[in-house]
Amino acid sequence: MKNTNINKAAFWPALVCLCILVGAGIFATDALGSLLNSILYGMADRAGWFFELFAIICIILTFVLAFSKFGSIKIGGPDAKPDFKTWNWITMSLCGGIGTGLLFWAMGEPIYHFMTPPVAAGVEAGSREAAIFSISQTMWNWSIPQYCMYTICAVAFALTAYNMRKPLAYGPVLNSAFNRNASKLETVVHGLTIFTMCGAVACSMGVGLMQIGAGVEYLAGLKTGVGVWLVVAVIITVLFTVSCVSGIGKGLKKLSSFTTIVFIAMLVFVCVFGPSTFMAKLGTESFASLLDNTFTHTAILNTMADEDTWYADWIVQYWASFIVYAPILGMFLSRMAKGRTVRSFILVNVLAPSIFCMVWIAAFGGITLNMQSTGSFDIWNAVNTTGMESTIFYILGSFPLGKVLIAVFLISIFTSFATMADPVAAALATISTHGLSVDDEAPRTLKILFGIIMGTVAYLLVASGGVSSVKGMWVIIGFPIAFIMMVIIVSAFRNAGKCAAKEDHMLLDDPAEAKK
């Protein structure tokens, strides 16, 4: 390992800003929530079109990279061999992208779109058309757009790390985009990334704590609250920190594989014991509708329907959150790219997890809508009285061996969140350190520190009720990160063009390095 030093100019200012934000979330919860909500809806109204247009452009450019001449570029050069098997690559990509969100929203999101569809959908609430729209929109929200954003960033980092043999950091990517040294901007970007990602993961974890707490209360009758949340927070933090410290080849690879197997087992179980024919019919029609209306699902606004805020509450926040995660997850996913062509890397990294997410949503979303439409359980009333985090356990509890299914579901929440937090903590430790190559692991002390920070912040936010206030920051933070993503995309195309012109696809300062 090379001699490394902490990037103090990025690390400490980011940590101070995070402490200020958390303090405001804890001690001024209502005031912060009111302020962020005002900013959220104001920005969504004025800049929602920007996020939606940006998502469309990212999707198009990702597939342009894949199917143009750039798709034939071998990442790492002609003799490079993959470090990970395809199964491990797909499971780490799948789990790293979804966290706990898909587990929660595959059942929760369709009922909202079914009962309160946007004006732009042109469907009546609770109708057959609303059911098809709700599943197809949820499928899209959790598939192609997010993985395109992650993957196009991953290609940029992979080309600089493996084909240029530069450190795994923003610096080489920024330098390539601007064609000059951008060290000052790199420090700013690293600091902004540390601040945003610690806060983003903490918010996601906070929602997970409430979800697990509701499950424990349903399963064991133990009243949820600060004590339960503390225990859960400690367990999750220890789990993903130990995995992170173990390194990607030992910890995350095994944890992602286990989590994916659990996902598949649950999916098979609900397909066997659930309303399988209904799920298959609705899933098929919804997928066909998605193919017919792909970009319509990406760009829903409230043009000439000012009273409709659906777009601000849903897809604008989705696209903004994916933008926030994209550069750091792209940095992590770039480590899977070695030895693969740009085309195969993009297609597998985008399509494999997307197909799984669509099937998962067709199954679990289909269960929710079947219960609502047949009257076997008024899910919409339950959501509005007890909350979605509690309602999903009533849905799962209706199955044969319901308590066993819930127990497995809770385990999957633990491990799934860990598989998302692990690469984020590792990547944050990497950009907080000078002098690391793509093959180096960041210092263990920094990985542990980031694990503790994210776990502590998550607990403090959920225990104080501040997590709901801070969730509104997605759109605010996503705006500047979108411009960073633009620079990363420019770097990807610029370096891809240079690599395509080289017979060995390598861009080295010293040609002798190609023989190493």
Side-chain angles (χ1 to χ4, degrees):
M1 162 134 2
K2 299 178 181 179
N3 183 36
T4 58
N5 297 293
I6 188 171
N7 187 350
K8 296 179 182 178
F11 178 78
W12 290 112
L15 200 60
V16 170
C17 291
L18 183 65
C19 289
I20 293 172
L21 174 65
V22 173
I26 294 172
F27 298 109
T29 304
D30 293 339
L32 180 65
S34 177
L35 174 63
L36 291 180
N37 276 332
S38 297
I39 297 174
L40 164 64
Y41 287 107
M43 286 192 67
D45 184 48
R46 293 170 177 80
W49 64 269
F50 168 80
F51 288 104
E52 297 183 6
L53 182 60
F54 187 76
I56 292 172
I57 292 171
C58 283
I59 294 167
I60 293 172
L61 291 181
T62 301
F63 287 105
V64 167
L65 265 179
F67 292 108
S68 67
K69 63 179 181 179
F70 302 145
S72 301
I73 296 170
K74 183 75 171 290
I75 298 175
D79 299 323
K81 303 295 182 185
D83 290 332
F84 301 95
K85 295 179 180 179
T86 303
W87 164 258
N88 297 122
W89 166 27
I90 292 174
T91 60
M92 286 190 281
S93 177
L94 171 68
C95 296
I98 65 175
T100 61
L102 185 65
L103 298 175
F104 184 74
W105 288 112
M107 287 182 278
E109 185 174 336
I111 192 66
Y112 282 94
H113 302 336
F114 181 56
M115 300 303 293
T116 57
V119 172
V123 298
E124 182 182 350
S127 66
R128 175 183 182 278
E129 292 75 18
I132 294 172
F133 167 80
S134 67
I135 295 296
S136 62
Q137 183 68 52
T138 306
M139 283 179 172
W140 189 242
N141 290 350
W142 288 97
S143 58
I144 302 292
Q146 67 166 322
Y147 285 102
C148 280
M149 291 184 193
Y150 304 157
T151 302
I152 198 167
C153 290
V155 171
F157 284 108
L159 291 176
T160 57
Y162 290 111
N163 293 64
M164 298 177 69
R165 294 194 179 157
K166 299 292 185 181
L168 184 60
Y170 284 92
V173 174
L174 299 175
N175 295 344
S176 298
F178 293 113
N179 204 25
R180 63 183 177 85
N181 187 290
S183 57
K184 291 183 179 179
L185 179 59
E186 178 188 17
T187 299
V188 173
V189 172
H190 280 188
L192 180 62
T193 302
I194 293 168
F195 166 72
T196 56
M197 292 313 301
C198 281
V201 173
C203 284
S204 296
M205 184 175 174
V207 174
L209 295 183
M210 293 188 288
Q211 189 178 358
I212 293 172
V216 170
E217 182 173 345
Y218 182 90
L219 199 62
L222 185 62
K223 187 69 176 177
T224 190
V226 292
V228 172
W229 292 332
L230 178 60
V231 173
V232 173
V234 170
I235 293 173
I236 292 180
T237 302
V238 170
L239 180 62
F240 78 75
T241 303
V242 169
S243 174
C244 186
V245 169
S246 300
I248 188 174
K250 295 180 180 179
L252 183 61
K253 182 174 73 173
K254 294 179 180 178
L255 192 59
S256 296
S257 182
F258 170 79
T259 302
T260 303
I261 291 171
V262 173
F263 285 168
I264 293 172
M266 287 195 294
L267 185 59
V268 171
F269 182 88
V270 299
C271 286
V272 171
F273 293 100
S276 54
T277 301
F278 179 88
M279 293 188 291
K281 287 181 177 179
L282 181 58
T284 300
E285 285 197 271
S286 298
F287 180 67
S289 175
L290 176 57
L291 294 179
D292 282 342
N293 303 282
T294 298
F295 288 115
T296 300
H297 280 296
T298 315
I300 295 177
L301 291 164
N302 63 339
T303 307
M304 300 178 70
D306 294 342
E307 73 286 353
D308 183 20
T309 62
W310 182 96
Y311 76 106
D313 294 325
W314 292 100
I315 60 172
V316 170
Q317 288 207 54
Y318 270 128
W319 303 161
S321 68
F322 298 153
I323 289 169
V324 170
Y325 275 105
I328 205 72
L329 284 179
M331 182 181 291
F332 159 70
L333 291 171
S334 69
R335 300 182 69 176
M336 318 293 163
K338 181 182 176 183
R340 310 180 192 278
T341 64
V342 168
R343 181 175 298 112
S344 65
F345 176 68
I346 289 175
L347 294 181
V348 173
N349 212 60
V350 172
L351 297 181
S354 293
I355 291 170
F356 179 87
C357 290
M358 289 180 182
V359 173
W360 180 278
I361 290 164
F364 283 89
I367 293 167
T368 301
L369 297 192
N370 179 260
M371 288 184 170
Q372 182 69 34
S373 61
T374 60
S376 60
F377 178 37
D378 190 348
I379 293 175
W380 185 237
N381 179 64
V383 167
N384 286 286
T385 53
T386 63
M388 193 64 225
E389 64 271 13
S390 297
T391 303
I392 59 174
F393 295 106
Y394 288 101
I395 297 172
L396 295 175
S398 67
F399 279 83
L401 301 175
K403 289 192 173 181
V404 175
L405 179 60
I406 290 173
V408 174
F409 185 79
L410 289 175
I411 292 171
S412 71
I413 295 175
F414 275 100
T415 60
S416 183
F417 179 82
T419 58
M420 185 266 281
D422 176 332
V424 171
L428 291 179
T430 298
I431 65 173
S432 299
T433 309
H434 291 295
L436 290 181
S437 74
V438 68
D439 296 319
D440 290 329
E441 288 286 347
R444 290 187 175 186
T445 51
L446 273 180
K447 291 181 178 181
I448 294 171
L449 177 60
F450 277 115
I452 293 173
I453 289 172
M454 290 189 288
T456 302
V457 171
Y459 172 72
L460 291 175
L461 288 175
V462 71
S464 66
V467 67
S468 297
S469 299
V470 182
K471 281 192 297 183
M473 289 195 66
W474 288 124
V475 175
I476 302 167
I477 296 172
F479 196 71
I481 298 294
F483 290 95
I484 295 173
M485 270 193 71
M486 290 180 189
V487 176
I488 294 172
I489 293 170
V490 169
S491 173
F493 275 89
R494 177 165 286 180
N495 284 332
K498 293 178 181 178
C499 287
K502 295 282 188 177
E503 186 176 348
D504 63 356
H505 299 157
M506 298 298 287
L507 300 173
L508 303 175
D509 296 332
D510 180 5
E513 290 185 39
K515 299 179 181 180
K516 295 181 181 179

